[in-house]
Amino acid sequence: MPEVRTWQLAAGAAVVGLALAAGAVAAAGPWDSGQRKAEREWAAAQSPSGGAHHQVPGPKRPAPAPSAPGVLTALGAPATAPAPAPASASVPGDLAEVLAPLLGDPGLGPVRTASVVEVATGRRLYEHGAADPMTPASTIKIATSAAALSALGPDHRIPTTVVVSKDGEELTLVGGGDPTLGRAALGTLADRTVRALRDRGTGTVRLTYDTSLYSGTSRHPIGPNGNLAPVSALMVGQGRINQTATGYATRTGDPAGDAARTFERLLTERGLAGEEASFRGAERAVTKQLAKLKLPLTGARFADGSGLNRADKLSAGLLTALLARAADPAHPELRPVLTGLPVAGFSGTLHGRYGGTSPGTGLVRAKTGTLTGVNALAGTVVAPDGRLLAFAFLAGNTPSATAAEPALDRLAAALAS
């Protein structure tokens, strides 16, 4: 049964018949332990200081990488046929000579796959077990994001609503699945509620909450973990008890109850239309949306949208196909899949990777994937001749992240040099 509490109007309440849509749709699920670009932007958005930057000086960052010519058609611009590759462009055989030794690095363990394609033409430049399903870890979020964007579009907003009973004495906070709703937005929501209740002449109300949007188990198969809280349609601060914005943290065991009690901000997941809002329903929905994009799904499995479940399976070929489709002028709704990727040496989970002298710094944009014994890197890179390449490198049974990550970084950097 949902918790029922009595709240005095002077202390605030929920909204009456109002909806607040806060933030674009985000990939569902827990985050990597490193700082995520989207989370950092979210944290910056909570600052009351306006548009000014008020950050504590950090370690000196590497110098900006040299600019490369634009390779993607601007959103809204007429699509034009790609220019033919220059005569000096690398051929697959040449790329194999560079990548094969790097892919053989012992740090990548005994199982490794790879795929490199030319984004503008779709031409396959290098493959090694590209069709073999692998455990992708967090690189599965590329697929999750593409499915959500193709289904809902980049302008979709998730409404958070509160409804009032007929007698005007009870408010119900309805979890709508918004992982970006923060304190500022909830403050606005509370202000509107107070005004609406005063207009009705209401002084005291009962507050309940509704988490019926989601069905199925609330616990991820990996169990309690600092990367996630129980899955609920109503959640505060991603279930973080210590109110941090990023990284591994202690999570609440009662996210919906905490959300109603603190009334600060919501974090939840929303299933796609036609499917039940559960892990199984989300798997069917993601598979259905990616099939509509005509992507190679043989052997693919989306047991969750975050990559923490080892039952997830993606191939390197599917990841590069996803990235190439996101660059297709015919699918502008997928462009955030590319623009949201961390930049080597500068942002997100690549902030601390690649040094100031690496040819990949500033030119590699990629999603990392990390589980014990699993390391992956998938994204795009601008080649020396200006072509945009999509790549995916997945390694299994790796000895350690400290050995695998530099090897993956060298593979991506090689494409930039």
Side-chain angles (χ1 to χ4, degrees):
M1 293 291 292
E3 178 178 351
V4 179
R5 304 181 66 199
T6 299
W7 291 54
Q8 293 298 321
L9 178 60
V15 287
V16 183
L18 300 177
L20 179 64
V25 67
W31 319 124
D32 290 339
S33 59
Q35 177 142 8
R36 299 175 65 253
K37 180 172 182 288
E39 283 186 317
R40 192 170 63 210
E41 291 176 348
W42 170 87
Q46 312 310 307
S47 171
S49 305
H53 295 283
H54 300 275
Q55 297 180 348
V56 179
K60 186 176 180 181
R61 294 185 177 182
S67 299
V71 293
L72 292 178
T73 303
L75 287 176
T80 57
S88 61
S90 299
V91 297
D94 297 333
L95 198 56
E97 293 179 3
V98 175
L99 296 183
L102 296 174
L103 195 63
D105 191 303
L108 296 179
V111 184
R112 71 288 301 267
T113 62
S115 173
V116 179
V117 302
E118 185 179 53
V119 170
T121 64
R123 187 164 68 115
R124 300 175 183 178
L125 303 182
Y126 178 76
E127 290 185 333
H128 179 83
D132 298 343
M134 296 279 285
T135 300
S138 283
T139 58
I140 198 173
K141 291 173 184 170
I142 294 174
T144 307
S145 299
L149 286 164
S150 66
L152 303 173
D155 296 325
H156 177 74
R157 296 295 182 269
I158 301 172
T160 297
T161 60
V162 178
V163 296
V164 63
S165 61
K166 290 182 178 181
D167 60 12
E169 296 182 356
E170 182 174 279
L171 299 177
T172 302
L173 177 62
V174 182
D178 185 356
T180 66
L181 188 61
R183 288 179 179 271
L186 278 179
T188 301
L189 202 59
D191 290 339
R192 294 176 181 176
T193 299
V194 170
R195 288 197 298 269
L197 290 175
R198 284 177 176 166
D199 290 343
R200 296 172 63 102
T202 303
T204 302
V205 295
R206 294 191 305 274
L207 176 64
T208 66
Y209 58 88
D210 181 350
T211 62
S212 62
L213 176 65
Y214 291 168
S215 60
T217 178
S218 64
R219 281 289 183 184
H220 191 283
I222 68 171
N225 185 278
N227 281 317
L228 59 110
V231 178
S232 172
L234 187 61
M235 185 179 291
V236 170
Q238 305 162 10
R240 297 171 182 272
I241 292 178
N242 60 5
Q243 300 301 309
T244 58
T246 63
Y248 199 88
T250 303
R251 310 279 174 152
T252 177
D254 182 18
D258 285 352
R261 286 186 287 269
T262 63
F263 203 62
E264 296 171 344
R265 53 187 170 87
L266 299 175
L267 170 69
T268 56
E269 303 172 76
R270 181 169 184 157
L272 301 177
E275 297 289 351
E276 66 180 52
S278 66
F279 283 115
R280 294 182 62 183
E283 178 173 7
R284 292 192 296 268
V286 169
T287 302
K288 180 179 179 180
Q289 288 301 132
L290 297 185
K292 289 181 180 179
L293 294 173
K294 302 186 186 304
L295 294 166
L297 298 177
T298 302
R301 170 80 197 279
F302 304 95
D304 68 6
S306 65
L308 282 175
N309 196 322
R310 290 178 180 270
D312 292 322
K313 298 297 176 185
L314 292 185
S315 67
L318 173 55
L319 283 170
T320 51
L322 277 163
L323 293 163
R325 188 71 82 249
D328 189 341
H331 292 280
E333 75 280 4
L334 301 182
R335 200 60 49 81
V337 172
L338 300 182
T339 59
L341 292 173
V343 180
F346 287 94
S347 64
T349 50
L350 293 185
H351 178 269
R353 291 167 62 166
Y354 295 83
T357 60
S358 172
T361 300
L363 296 181
V364 171
R365 303 179 67 105
K367 182 69 194 77
T368 60
T370 308
L371 293 173
T372 301
V374 175
N375 294 93
L377 191 67
T380 63
V381 62
V382 179
D385 58 13
R387 289 181 297 163
L388 184 68
L389 307 180
F391 66 85
F393 305 115
L394 296 92
N397 298 327
T398 55
S400 68
T402 56
E405 289 178 356
L408 292 171
D409 293 346
R410 286 191 290 270
L411 281 163
L415 298 176
S417 61

